[in-house]
Every structure is written in structure tokens, then in C-alpha cells.
Amino acid sequence: MRRVSRTLATLVLLGPLLLSQTPDNGDRVQALEREVQAARHRLMDWAGLTRYGSEDTEIPPPKADENRVVFLGDDITEKWQGPFFPGKPYINRGIERQTTPQMLVRFQQDVVELHPKVVVIQGGSNDLAGLTGPATEVMIGQNLTSMAELAKANGIRVVLASVTPVCNCYSDQTARRPQGKIIGLNGWIKRYAASRGAVYLDYYSALANGRDFKKELTADGLHPNEAGYRVIAPLAEEAISKALAQKNEFK
Amino acid sequence: MDLHGRLVGLATLFVACGLSWGADWLTDGGNQQRTAWQKDEKILSKSNVKDMKLLWKIHLDNQPRQMHSLFPPLIVGKVNTPNGVKEIAIDAGVSDNLYAIDVETGQLVWKKHFENTWTPPATPVRGGGILCPGGLTATPVIIPADTPGKYTILAISWDGRLHQVNVADGEEIATPSKFVPPNGKPYALNYRDGVIYTHTAQGCGGNPNVAYAYDMPTKKVGTWGPAGGGMWGRTGPALSKDGTMYTGTGDGRWDPENGTFGDGIVGLKQNPETKALELEDYFAPTNAEWLYSRDLDMQVTPAIFDFKNKELMVSGSKECRVFLMDTASIGGDDHRHPLFTTPLICNEDVNFASAGIWGSMASWEDSKGTRWVLTPFWGAKHSKFSAPIENGPVKDGAIAAFKVEEKNGKFQLTPAWISRDMNRAEPPVIANGVVYAFGSGEDTDQAYPDVGLDDVAERRIPGSTHAVLYALDAMTGKELWSSGNEITSWNHWSGLSIANGRVYIGTFDSNLYCYGIKK
């Protein structure tokens, strides 16, 4: 939101000046206009409800024996490289750059309305980076809790994924996503999952070497590459199977 | 009539046609199919339209109601009047007025005001506000009478009565008869073989939203309602060859099994024996539930045309897609799959008020046999939609043109061009290789950050600017001419008319502008 305000203020202050300047500045004005348009779009649809809203209504209800799974998340989920669980009734509902409060807002539309048996919730990394404002472990935890409670209320089993690691192997990633905070948040997610009967999906341990993202499994130090997804896909399958096999209800 | 009489009649008709100015515009959208294509234009062309000027402007004493004022004028090329043969424009005003104008001089020939027989009920019903302005809300339709040079206007007044008025002198030629409930909101009338078609929306006057077919010989009225969502296509229903009326339905659930047809398209046909209006066919996009949840009505008047031995139809939605349908089965076996659906053309913000397709479609065929489809849209072009020819960035609205093509046995709409930016692009008309379009200049916002939803005329009228009329090359969308700042007011829910070298546009301040080539 601060970024939106800053962009709008910049255009208001500099717009008249730039308009009277050279063609190069004309390009700058156009770039600012595009930025304002994008900011306006974010204001109008902060939670990203329009990203999948139309497609959601075109998905028929699951068949009686269908083990439908919805993956709700951010870049890590949306940008899944390689085949996304071919042959499986798994639905990707990741949105790049999203934070957990945004996911919470669209949880009803993008998860509950699709009537899955399991939801895999993956988020928190962009919260730590402050993409929608300052966020603490407590705030992220509250959002994850709310999503888990919504799932419970609708008979959906919950898998909570860890935040993936980062490294400075290509560029500085740890400044925005301090490794200690990732570890701390993952500790909270693991404890919460255990206390409520949800399944903890540990992407972190499989992708990290010490505190760093294994360089061979990432192309930018933040997102898994195709090899990284090959590592975590079976873990997701395992967690889903575990959730489906659970006899006890979410506590 | 014996054979001799018929021959004399035919000869008279032939002579009359030969001597006529040539073109009429007797119904909103130009014809029953609502293609908005003036096939008979011979004066204005791609080469001379750059010299178009304001021929005249006339101020009519019609009082605007809410944001409505003048409807698109209807043009009769040759009318036998008490003062000789004239080309007459008939313009309807929302305050129950009809005006006849001599288009050669721009002078008023006559005015007819319908006296209101309706008394508002003691208990208030839905009414007022922008959506329910009251008054005359349907563009009339004109039909030829039994003798050449004589024409009859069919119009619905505020009290719901059908009036039959002589074009030549403004006199009623029949006693007004009951057609629709009073204080409703009928849309532009269509006519075919003795039957008048219209539909209503917004539940104005507390009346249900239904489609109507008025059988003139028997005066029987057939109705059919979608039970969810009014029908508010700008230019009323479109009629196919077999007399089926097609219209989009507004915001409502799509649940045909339970008789609810919101956010779809319905085909209705008059039962020739009972005169009842019956459901013939129906279609809704596969994401109709999304359209309903986001108020993205399918409220567009379709256009119907022939293509490769089929009768095809196009329509659109506020979501900003265009649908290509075969009138033999508009949604296929499951009523959910038309021949072709475009990607989103605009409305990336999913805005229910100031973006999307509002109004009606248009279609024409060029000299090489290429079939074109045009749609207006409001708001910015979708960032992922493109056409081979684009005429600058589009922020407030534009016309998008498609070619109808058959590839590998399947029909499709292939993007051809996108026009320049227009402030709320409205339904275009096509004549002799030129597309005439306009930005209405209307403030269409309904909600505001500081107050929320506040869709009132008191806010939107001051926010409106002025209309701009454009002439575009129909092959490329390139701007050939514009009215610039000459039109000083805007309009709401109006449109264009064109015949015999003249283009007409009315504005909120009750001025009718006529553009053409000065002699």
C-alpha cells in the first residue's frame, strides 16, 4: 500500500514537469502511468480474487471417489516447474508475490468453493519480505491459523508447508528474508501443525544445506529450479497421502 | 386484389423506390438483425468523410429524466407529407415526446407529446434513480404503411400503451392500446410480420423483467421472463430469420433446470396460434457463476448475420468477451459452448460499472466477402489482448474489430484492429466502408472511495464531459475524422443513426446533431 501511495504521489508531483520534458521523459511518464495502472489494479483487487475466480466457477464438483487437492500459495506454488502432478486431481492456486493475509481473503473462493479433500497451504516468505507491509511471525501465524480453521469448518484436511530457504548464492536474498526468521517461522508452523493434527510438509530441510538454499536446486537463491521441484514433489505427495489417511479430525 | 391491381401496385412501388433518396434507418440498430450496417449509403465514403461538417443542430424541448434524454433518431428517406415529399428524422425523447425533423433543413416538422394516463400508486414501488428514469425508454420502430410514402411510428409511452403515429403529420392513426405495464422500462422496439418485440429490465415500477411480443392483428401480448436478471440490451432484441428474438439477460443465477436464466442469452419465439412467447434456445458461458458473483451481465444486444450457409450471431458481456453462436443451437448440446469465445478484450480490473461491453454489437460484409464483427468496449484494453492493427493506447474505451473465419472446419473471430481511445466507446454503425463510433463522455462510475456505492445522477451528470463522434476506416480502424470539441454535451444509453449522407447523434441537453458533407 505504501508503494501505491508513493507511486501516486510521484506521478502527481512529477507528472506536469515530466509532461513538459523531452521524449525520453515522455517514456518515463508512460512507464509511470503503467506503474500507476498496476498499483490501481492491486488496490482494486488486493487479494487477487480475479486471478482464479472465473476458472474456479468452471471446475465441476469433485466425484465421490476423487481425492481433490488444492495447493494454495505464492510464487513457490504458482511457478511450479515441470509437470504439476500429472494425472492427479490437484489444483494449483498459487499467486506470485502473495502474502498470507491475501491468501486468507481468497481462501473461501479458491479453496473452500472447490470442495477439496486436502489443502496444501504454502506461504509466509513474502510476508517476511514485507511485500504487503511489515509482518511478524505472530501475524503470519494468525493468518495460517485462520486458514486452517476455515478448512476445518469445511471438512478439508490441512497440510502446512514450511517456508523454503534462501541463499545469497546469486544475489542478496537474505536481507529481505533473514534466514533466522525463516527458521523461526518454520518452527512455529511445525509446532502448530502438530498441536492441531495437521500435516507438516517440510520443504525446507530437503532444499537447505545448513541455512542456505542448495545452489544446485535454485536458479536465483529464492525459488526452486526444476531439480528443486523434483525434490519437493514427492514430499508433497507423501504429506497429502498422510492427510488423506488421517482418521482423526483436525483438532 | 386482382392481377392488374397487383401489377399496378408493384409498378408504383418500383417507381417510388427508384425515385427515393435510397436509404432508411427505421429501427434501432438499422435492421431486425441489429447489425448496425447501413448497406445503402452512397454519399459518405472513405475518401470524402474527412470533409464531414456539422450540417445542423436542433434543440428539442425534451426534458431529460435522470441521465436519459434523446434516443437514436429513425430516418425515413421518402415521406409523403402535406408539404410534399421529405426525408424525415423521428427522434424520441424520454419525456414522452416524439419529434419529426426535416433533415434537409434541420427544422422541426411536428412534435407529439403522449399524455400520461398512469397514476403513481399510493404505495411506492421501485422507481426513480438512474436505472428507472420513467418516461419513454424504448426507441420506437417505424413500419411502412399500406401505400408508398406512408409510414407508421410504433412507440410505447410511459403509461405502457402502444401508440401508432403517422410519420407525415404526427397524428395517431389508432387508439392507443395496452402493451406493457406502466412505469416499466422497455428497450428499443423491434418489428417483424405484425409482431412488435421488446424486453424490460431493472424491475422498474415493480414490474417483473420479461420479454414481450405484441401481436398487432389480435392485440394479444405474449410474455416470457428469465426469472433472474433483466434484459437490457441497448438496442432491444435481435430477430433471426425464423422470427426468434434473441437477447442477453442481466445479473442473475443461471439455473435452467429450475427456470432461472440470468447472465445468459435466450432465444424466444412467438407461438403462432396462442401468441404466447416461448423459450426456444438458451446459452450461458461456462463461467456464468463468476459473472453472477461479479455483476458482469450478459446485457448486450446481439447481431445476427449470414455466413457460409449458416445464420450466426454475436454477443458480448461486461466481462468483455465476444461469443460467436450458430442460431441453429446457440450454446451447443449442453447450452454452455458456443462456436467460439474470444479471450478477454478489456476489463482486467473486473469492474462492473465502467468497463466491459455495454450496448450492442455490429457486423458488416466487405466487397470481398469478408464478414466483420465490431464490438465497443469501455475501459482499458486487456494487457494480454492484441490485434494486428492497433491505433494507439486504449485507456477509456475503443472499438475492436474481428473477422469471422472458418479454419479447419471451425468458426472463429480473428482480431483485426482496435481503434483509437474513446471516452466510453458506444455501439458503432457501418456505412460504405466507414465505421462511425463515438465516445459518449458519460461519467459511468457508480462507487467512490470516500462514499462507496453512490450511483446517482446528481453525482454522475457533473462528472460527464462531452461526446466525440469519430469516422474510422472500416478495414484498419484508422481515424479519418472526428467532431473534436464541437459536440458540447454527453449522452447516456443513446446511439447513432445514418442514412443518405447524414450521421446523427443526440445529447443529454436535448440537442440533435446532424453531420454530413456540405453541398
Side-chain angles (χ1 to χ4, degrees):
Chain A
M1 201 66 74
R2 281 188 309 177
R3 184 185 169 126
V4 173
S5 304
R6 199 166 57 236
T7 304
L8 290 169
T10 303
L11 192 68
V12 168
L13 291 172
L14 298 182
L17 179 67
L18 293 175
L19 284 170
S20 66
Q21 297 298 312
T22 62
D24 286 346
N25 284 334
D27 293 343
R28 176 70 182 138
V29 169
Q30 284 192 3
L32 278 171
E33 283 181 341
R34 283 195 295 274
E35 196 170 340
V36 167
Q37 182 61 24
R40 186 173 166 276
H41 184 75
R42 280 199 295 278
L43 272 174
M44 299 269 287
D45 184 23
W46 179 80
L49 288 165
T50 60
R51 173 69 175 81
Y52 295 111
S54 177
E55 293 171 42
D56 287 346
T57 63
E58 298 189 86
I59 296 174
K63 296 170 187 158
D65 59 348
E66 180 180 327
N67 289 327
R68 179 175 291 180
V69 178
V70 172
F71 283 66
L72 181 75
D74 55 33
D75 330 29
I76 306 294
T77 295
E78 185 186 21
K79 302 291 183 185
W80 200 280
Q81 290 183 35
F84 187 75
F85 304 102
K88 295 289 180 69
Y90 296 177
I91 300 168
N92 189 324
R93 286 294 176 263
I95 297 182
E96 190 179 15
R97 297 180 64 82
Q98 278 222 328
T99 57
T100 56
Q102 292 172 302
M103 293 176 208
L104 174 58
V105 171
R106 63 186 178 94
F107 197 86
Q108 179 72 28
Q109 175 189 281
D110 287 349
V111 179
V112 176
E113 302 278 331
L114 299 180
H115 307 292
K117 283 189 178 166
V118 176
V119 60
V120 177
I121 302 171
Q122 172 272 314
S125 178
N126 294 329
D127 300 57
L128 293 176
L131 294 194
T132 49
T136 64
E137 181 184 307
V138 172
M139 294 161 71
I140 299 166
Q142 287 171 341
N143 293 326
L144 292 174
T145 300
S146 295
M147 286 189 267
E149 293 289 344
L150 273 172
K152 175 190 173 188
N154 288 281
I156 301 166
R157 296 177 174 99
V158 177
V159 172
L160 287 166
S162 69
V163 174
T164 48
V166 295
C167 69
N168 291 333
C169 29
Y170 297 99
S171 60
D172 185 0
Q173 296 289 352
T174 58
R176 298 190 78 183
R177 294 174 175 83
Q179 290 172 321
K181 288 200 172 187
I182 292 174
I183 292 167
L185 178 57
N186 283 340
W188 182 91
I189 295 171
K190 188 175 183 180
R191 287 193 299 278
Y192 174 75
S195 70
R196 303 307 303 271
V199 176
Y200 178 62
L201 170 53
D202 190 0
Y203 286 153
Y204 184 91
S205 299
L207 296 173
N209 181 16
R211 290 184 160 211
D212 285 333
F213 209 134
K214 290 177 183 170
K215 189 172 181 181
E216 66 274 21
L217 298 182
T218 178
D220 59 3
L222 177 62
H223 303 97
N225 58 17
E226 196 163 345
Y229 282 106
R230 278 200 298 273
V231 169
I232 63 174
L235 301 178
E237 286 278 34
E238 190 181 333
I240 290 164
S241 297
K242 199 171 170 185
L244 286 169
Q246 278 181 336
K247 292 191 177 174
N248 294 330
E249 285 291 312
F250 183 75
K251 297 175 198 169
Chain B
M1 189 184 289
D2 61 16
L3 181 60
H4 179 261
R6 288 180 186 178
L7 287 173
V8 169
L10 281 172
T12 306
L13 186 64
F14 178 78
V15 171
C17 290
L19 292 176
S20 76
W21 278 258
D24 296 319
W25 190 269
L26 301 180
T27 186
D28 212 339
N31 49 50
Q32 295 171 2
Q33 298 78 22
R34 300 314 202 209
T35 61
W37 179 21
Q38 174 57 275
K39 292 182 182 178
D40 299 323
E41 177 59 33
K42 302 285 192 298
I43 299 170
L44 287 170
S45 69
K46 203 185 293 188
S47 59
N48 68 12
V49 75
K50 66 181 187 306
D51 300 320
M52 199 156 71
K53 300 271 192 279
L54 179 65
L55 298 180
W56 49 261
K57 176 174 103 173
I58 183 170
H59 179 70
L60 304 170
D61 64 0
N62 177 69
Q63 289 298 309
R65 296 184 61 82
Q66 293 292 328
M67 297 184 80
H68 283 73
S69 185
L70 299 179
F71 294 90
L74 306 176
I75 313 299
V76 190
K78 185 177 179 181
V79 183
N80 291 331
T81 77
N83 296 314
V85 178
K86 290 183 182 297
E87 184 178 348
I88 299 284
I90 299 294
D91 205 4
V94 69
S95 289
D96 264 342
N97 296 315
L98 289 182
Y99 301 91
I101 298 135
D102 180 341
V103 303
E104 283 292 330
T105 63
Q107 299 297 308
L108 188 68
V109 178
W110 54 258
K111 174 194 170 183
K112 174 76 179 175
H113 176 72
F114 298 126
E115 293 303 326
N116 188 16
T117 60
W118 170 67
T119 306
T123 307
V125 294
R126 180 181 168 99
I130 291 172
L131 296 182
C132 297
L136 184 161
T137 59
T139 307
V141 63
I142 295 176
I143 58 173
D146 49 359
T147 54
K150 190 174 180 185
Y151 292 83
T152 303
I153 306 161
L154 306 174
I156 300 176
S157 52
W158 189 358
D159 55 16
R161 293 186 303 164
L162 174 69
H163 297 262
Q164 300 182 48
V165 178
N166 184 1
V167 170
D169 56 17
E171 294 299 319
E172 301 226 29
I173 62 169
T175 305
S177 53
K178 190 176 177 183
F179 186 172
V180 301
N183 198 29
K185 192 181 182 188
Y187 285 76
L189 307 186
N190 207 339
Y191 174 89
R192 178 192 166 96
D193 295 340
V195 183
I196 307 167
Y197 298 89
T198 187
H199 48 65
T200 61
Q202 281 95 28
C204 297
N207 300 304
N209 302 317
V210 295
Y212 294 86
Y214 180 95
D215 189 67
M216 292 189 72
T218 64
K219 296 185 179 178
K220 283 187 176 177
V221 180
T223 64
W224 182 91
M231 293 153 284
W232 48 292
R234 175 86 58 99
T235 46
L239 295 174
S240 67
K241 279 182 195 159
D242 72 353
T244 301
M245 68 168 274
Y246 289 94
T247 180
T249 62
D251 202 28
R253 283 207 177 278
W254 178 260
D255 186 9
E257 287 77 15
N258 292 300
T260 304
F261 295 84
D263 285 323
I265 294 173
V266 292
L268 310 168
K269 197 171 181 183
Q270 187 204 47
N271 183 314
E273 293 178 6
T274 66
K275 311 304 180 190
L277 199 51
E278 297 170 348
L279 183 66
E280 184 83 359
D281 198 1
Y282 52 92
F283 154 71
T286 49
N287 67 343
E289 189 67 22
W290 170 249
L291 304 186
Y292 174 57
S293 71
R294 289 307 187 102
D295 192 0
L296 301 170
D297 309 46
M298 296 276 291
Q299 86 300 8
V300 176
T301 295
I304 299 171
F305 53 86
D306 290 334
F307 184 77
K308 294 195 174 181
N309 299 318
K310 285 183 179 291
E311 187 182 51
L312 302 184
M313 178 166 77
V314 285
S315 193
S317 64
K318 278 202 275 179
E319 189 194 24
C320 211
R321 296 181 197 273
V322 176
F323 306 97
L324 177 66
M325 294 159 276
D326 183 344
T327 60
S329 176
I330 60 175
D333 292 341
D334 65 354
H335 301 277
R336 304 304 291 267
H337 293 87
L339 293 177
F340 184 80
T341 303
T342 69
L344 291 170
I345 301 166
C346 66
N347 207 357
E348 209 157 348
D349 288 339
V350 193
N351 183 335
F352 65 80
S354 291
I357 300 171
W358 292 65
S360 52
M361 311 296 292
S363 179
W364 69 291
E365 189 176 274
D366 67 25
S367 58
K368 292 178 182 172
T370 301
R371 170 58 67 170
W372 295 75
V373 164
L374 306 175
T375 183
F377 64 87
W378 292 358
K381 180 179 77 74
H382 198 288
S383 60
K384 291 179 181 165
F385 180 76
S386 63
I389 302 173
E390 299 192 10
N391 292 276
V394 174
K395 293 191 287 188
D396 292 318
I399 306 297
F402 299 84
K403 292 178 183 176
V404 183
E405 294 181 328
E406 184 181 11
K407 289 192 175 173
N408 302 320
K410 292 189 173 179
F411 293 96
Q412 66 178 50
L413 296 170
T414 307
W417 53 260
I418 300 169
S419 76
R420 57 156 292 152
D421 190 44
M422 297 178 193
N423 186 4
R424 302 294 175 267
E426 299 285 26
V429 299
I430 310 105
N432 202 17
V434 180
V435 171
Y436 299 88
F438 72 105
S440 70
E442 177 188 353
D443 176 355
T444 56
D445 285 343
Q446 298 182 16
Y448 306 86
D450 53 341
V451 292
L453 187 67
D454 192 29
D455 187 21
V456 295
E458 292 76 13
R459 187 182 279 270
R460 285 174 55 178
I461 288 173
S464 299
T465 57
H466 69 93
V468 181
L469 176 64
Y470 299 94
L472 312 174
D473 183 332
M475 306 301 285
T476 65
K478 181 185 173 189
E479 181 182 328
L480 302 173
W481 175 90
S482 112
S483 63
N485 295 322
E486 191 163 50
I487 300 171
T488 54
S489 182
W490 49 278
N491 66 22
H492 167 79
W493 226 245
S494 190
L496 302 176
S497 313
I498 179 166
N500 306 311
R502 298 182 186 87
V503 187
Y504 305 86
I505 180 171
T507 50
F508 175 73
D509 58 5
S510 294
N511 282 310
L512 179 65
Y513 293 74
C514 174
Y515 284 92
I517 305 293
K518 284 194 173 173
K519 293 173 184 172

